[in-house]
Amino acid sequence: AQTVTQSQPEMSVQEAETVTLSCTYDTSESDYYLFWYKQPPSRQMILVIRQEAYKQQNATENRFSVNFQKAAKSFSLKISDSQLGDAAMYFCAYRRREYGNKLVFGAGTILRVKS
Amino acid sequence: GAVVSQHPSRVICKSGTSVKIECRSLDFQATTMFWYRQFPKKSLMLMATSNEGSKATYEQGVEKDKFLINHASLTLSTLTVTSAHPEDSSFYICSAPRADLAAFSYEQYFGPGTRLTVT
């Protein structure tokens, strides 16, 4: 069975600074996706970034980028120029490629942004 | 963009009664939908996979008779909490996958969630 581990229950970052959230996963599959989701106080799940396992290039979305290390099964999220609106709970998630497969979530990391 | 709605957003019911939560995909069809339960500051726990036209697939430890799931159409799945008790109070979230043809894949879209309080 696939598992996703987030070892940082809480993180803090100063506004405008950079923070990295860690995630490791375990799978025997070779074709899969990895995601970072943001859940703000409204509790609406928001997709931050997606990485396809067969792509070596790390995904980037504006201030958000990932460091995908497939051999090490590591998938960290870097948030640059942190903003107050980035404060939320962040979940790392794994999914096999095919339609109908479920997301496997990590335990989550609460990110606090200090002004 | 794709939208998944849930109704109601909040519900309070008395212990022993049943409550139904609806999940709708508003501009796409979904043969599969997922139901999650989330406690405060905790992760989403998958309860079951709802399949249009067939029985739902429940995760280990989830009571099928207590959490009834019906996928009545390609845009609607319902979760009924039967004989609710205070320990069923939680935040329930649904999601539905929508095809992304350009990426030859699909993405999960999440509903806004339903807060259930059982008194």
Side-chain angles (χ1 to χ4, degrees):
Chain A
Q2 296 84 19
T3 59
V4 176
T5 302
Q6 292 178 251
S7 58
Q8 305 156 315
E10 292 191 26
M11 292 283 285
S12 291
V13 63
Q14 198 70 32
E15 201 175 2
E17 298 294 311
T18 295
V19 65
T20 298
L21 307 185
S22 301
C23 173
T24 58
Y25 62 97
D26 189 23
T27 183
S28 58
E29 302 287 333
S30 60
D31 195 7
Y32 52 88
Y33 288 93
L34 295 165
F35 306 85
W36 280 97
Y37 284 92
K38 170 184 178 181
Q39 189 180 42
S42 68
R43 301 188 82 168
Q44 173 70 58
M45 295 288 284
I46 301 167
L47 176 64
V48 175
I49 200 163
R50 176 181 75 175
Q51 175 77 45
E52 298 171 65
Y54 66 87
K55 289 188 176 179
Q56 294 186 345
Q57 187 173 6
N58 289 322
T60 299
E61 287 288 342
N62 301 314
R63 299 183 294 109
F64 299 87
S65 61
V66 298
N67 183 3
F68 174 46
Q69 302 290 327
K70 190 172 184 179
K73 296 181 180 174
S74 170
F75 183 62
S76 61
L77 174 70
K78 185 171 81 171
I79 305 174
S80 304
D81 185 26
S82 296
Q83 300 175 0
L84 295 177
D86 294 333
M89 192 152 187
Y90 287 81
F91 294 101
C92 178
Y94 162 101
R95 173 175 65 76
R96 290 171 58 189
R97 171 177 286 274
E98 296 82 11
Y99 180 92
N101 279 299
K102 62 186 179 184
L103 283 164
V104 179
F105 286 96
T109 297
I110 296 172
L111 177 66
R112 305 188 193 282
V113 181
K114 302 174 184 176
S115 59
Chain B
V3 177
V4 174
S5 69
Q6 277 184 247
H7 177 78
S9 57
R10 291 175 179 263
V11 58
I12 301 173
C13 70
K14 293 189 175 182
S15 186
T17 63
S18 296
V19 61
K20 181 186 288 186
I21 302 170
E22 292 185 348
C23 176
R24 293 182 184 273
S25 56
L26 296 184
D27 60 353
F28 66 99
Q29 295 180 334
T31 56
T32 299
M33 292 185 177
F34 299 93
W35 286 96
Y36 299 87
R37 183 174 182 176
Q38 186 183 30
F39 292 105
K41 297 187 178 181
K42 298 295 184 182
S43 188
L44 280 70
M45 181 191 78
L46 181 65
M47 299 174 65
T49 302
S50 173
N51 303 299
E52 191 270 337
S54 64
K55 292 183 179 180
T57 304
Y58 290 82
E59 296 298 301
Q60 192 173 6
V62 178
E63 298 177 63
K64 301 178 183 180
D65 296 333
K66 179 162 195 62
F67 299 100
L68 299 179
I69 290 173
N70 181 28
H71 201 136
S73 74
L74 289 172
T75 59
L76 173 63
S77 175
T78 60
L79 168 67
T80 301
V81 184
T82 63
S83 187
H85 288 94
E87 56 265 31
D88 299 323
S89 298
S90 191
F91 193 69
Y92 293 87
I93 303 174
C94 71
S95 74
R98 182 195 185 194
D100 181 349
L101 298 178
F104 298 101
S105 181
Y106 68 93
E107 292 300 344
Q108 292 277 1
Y109 289 87
F110 288 84
T114 296
R115 185 180 304 280
L116 170 63
T117 303
V118 184
T119 61

